[in-house]
Amino acid sequence: MNFHQKPTTFVANVTLNVTDLSRSTAFYEQVIGFRVLTGSTTKVELTADGKTPLLTLIQPKDVQRKEARTTGLYHFAILLPTRQALASLVPHLVQQGIQLGSSDHKVSEALYFADPDGNGIEIYRDRLPEEWTWQGDSVEMTVDPLDFNDLLAKETVSEWTGLPHDTVMGHIHLHVDDLQAAEQFYTQALDFEVVTRYGHQALFIADNRYHHHIGLNVWNGVGAPQPAKHSVGLVHFTLDVKNASKQKELAKRLEASGARVEWVTEVLLTEDPAGNEIHIVY
């Protein structure tokens, strides 16, 4: 099953504030392999397939540097279509001088690093869904070490020429100020299901039994403040739902929960209890 197309609800785009648009654009092109879809002096849309914007970069006039220990972006995650693509990316990142973290999550294999402004990035590949272990409604995920020897030995490592065309935005992971309030919002108002819990510190939610479309944590502290409006980090992320009826259903759920409900043409705007803005499209 493809967990990043309709009828599944998935994260389609992430929009970030950066301090230097030219520098950030060069980083995402040269280091990761995005292509510029549209661009101006203040905003750039980045794509893998030449038509779908996956990541949007904005440089506000009064941009502020990234604030520590606030709500907002922990990382966004780019999903590669194959393990071979992940293997080919490794030596390229090393050659670019990128300081890497890594993990084997059982459901996936992942690399971690940050952009020039400190925005967190994960690039990963999924194992087949039949390889995932479910206990009822909970999927087993770990933070085991990534076996680089196995990855690089078993896969054909090719020259990195950019993101494959079928790369997608795999998920987003957010800092929140109250995990219980976040869970209630995302499950009751936005109709996601909890698929994994890490004690009282983090939880992972998804649609249609993916291992997670959104991660939520309180690692910046319970009661963490919201960042300044134009600080580096998350501006908003976009959820794509199956049709207009689903979008309207979510609007009613949001209104019933007391959450923000705002329409800009056909885009539904809201925000979670921690102030993370969400755009809902179909």
Side-chain angles (χ1 to χ4, degrees):
M1 177 178 181
N2 190 323
F3 298 99
H4 299 87
Q5 66 182 25
K6 299 173 182 181
T8 300
T9 297
F10 60 94
V11 178
N13 176 276
V14 173
T15 297
L16 304 176
N17 278 337
V18 299
T19 58
D20 185 326
L21 187 60
S22 295
R23 178 184 67 172
S24 293
T25 301
F27 172 87
Y28 281 102
E29 285 185 295
Q30 297 167 16
V31 174
I32 297 180
F34 277 107
R35 297 153 59 191
V36 172
L37 182 63
T38 66
S40 69
T41 57
T42 58
K43 179 180 177 180
V44 169
E45 290 184 315
L46 298 169
T47 182
D49 65 5
K51 57 185 179 181
T52 307
L54 298 180
L55 183 67
T56 304
L57 306 177
I58 296 174
Q59 183 181 332
K61 184 176 180 180
D62 54 349
V63 64
Q64 301 177 33
R65 294 188 181 277
K66 184 176 176 64
E67 297 181 72
R69 303 194 68 78
T70 65
T71 60
L73 183 72
Y74 179 53
H75 65 243
F76 65 89
I78 300 162
L79 174 58
L80 299 177
T82 65
R83 193 176 194 237
Q84 188 273 333
L86 186 68
S88 297
L89 178 60
V90 172
H92 170 73
L93 292 178
V94 172
Q95 290 166 7
Q96 294 289 321
I98 301 301
Q99 185 174 351
L100 288 174
S102 62
S103 189
D104 186 332
H105 295 302
K106 274 201 165 182
V107 295
S108 62
E109 294 176 301
L111 305 174
Y112 295 92
F113 53 103
D115 75 3
D117 285 300
N119 292 307
I121 302 167
E122 175 184 348
I123 301 184
Y124 72 111
R125 74 96 184 180
D126 274 339
R127 287 190 168 90
L128 295 173
E130 50 265 36
E131 298 178 80
W132 306 349
T133 300
W134 288 85
Q135 300 292 338
D137 293 328
S138 181
V139 66
E140 184 177 343
M141 292 199 294
T142 63
V143 286
D144 295 334
L146 179 62
D147 189 340
F148 280 98
N149 290 332
D150 184 81
L151 176 65
L152 299 176
K154 290 186 177 179
E155 301 299 326
T156 301
V157 178
S158 305
E159 180 183 359
W160 186 253
T161 57
L163 293 170
H165 284 199
D166 42 357
T167 298
V168 297
M169 186 62 68
H171 63 266
I172 192 169
H173 194 152
L174 303 169
H175 290 294
V176 298
D177 58 346
D178 183 320
L179 200 60
Q180 184 175 1
E183 177 180 348
Q184 182 174 354
F185 172 83
Y186 283 99
T187 57
Q188 296 186 17
L190 291 186
D191 202 25
F192 284 99
E193 296 180 350
V194 176
V195 291
T196 300
R197 298 180 189 272
Y198 285 177
H200 299 291
Q201 294 293 310
L203 59 85
F204 298 86
I205 61 175
D207 188 29
N208 280 343
R209 288 175 72 85
Y210 187 50
H211 58 69
H212 67 293
H213 289 105
I214 301 175
L216 305 162
N217 74 68
V218 288
W219 296 332
N220 274 350
V222 174
Q226 297 179 20
K229 180 175 178 58
H230 289 156
S231 68
V232 161
L234 182 68
V235 179
H236 66 262
F237 66 96
T238 300
L239 290 176
D240 200 334
V241 300
K242 64 181 179 180
N243 53 35
S245 295
K246 180 67 174 181
Q247 186 190 46
K248 291 175 182 177
E249 175 197 335
L250 294 182
K252 291 179 181 179
R253 285 172 172 258
L254 288 162
E255 189 171 16
S257 73
R260 170 188 170 195
V261 175
E262 180 181 345
W263 290 93
V264 178
T265 59
E266 294 184 343
V267 181
L268 171 60
L269 276 59
T270 189
E271 60 186 42
D272 71 15
N276 297 305
E277 184 169 302
I278 307 161
H279 292 188
I280 302 172
V281 301
Y282 66 90

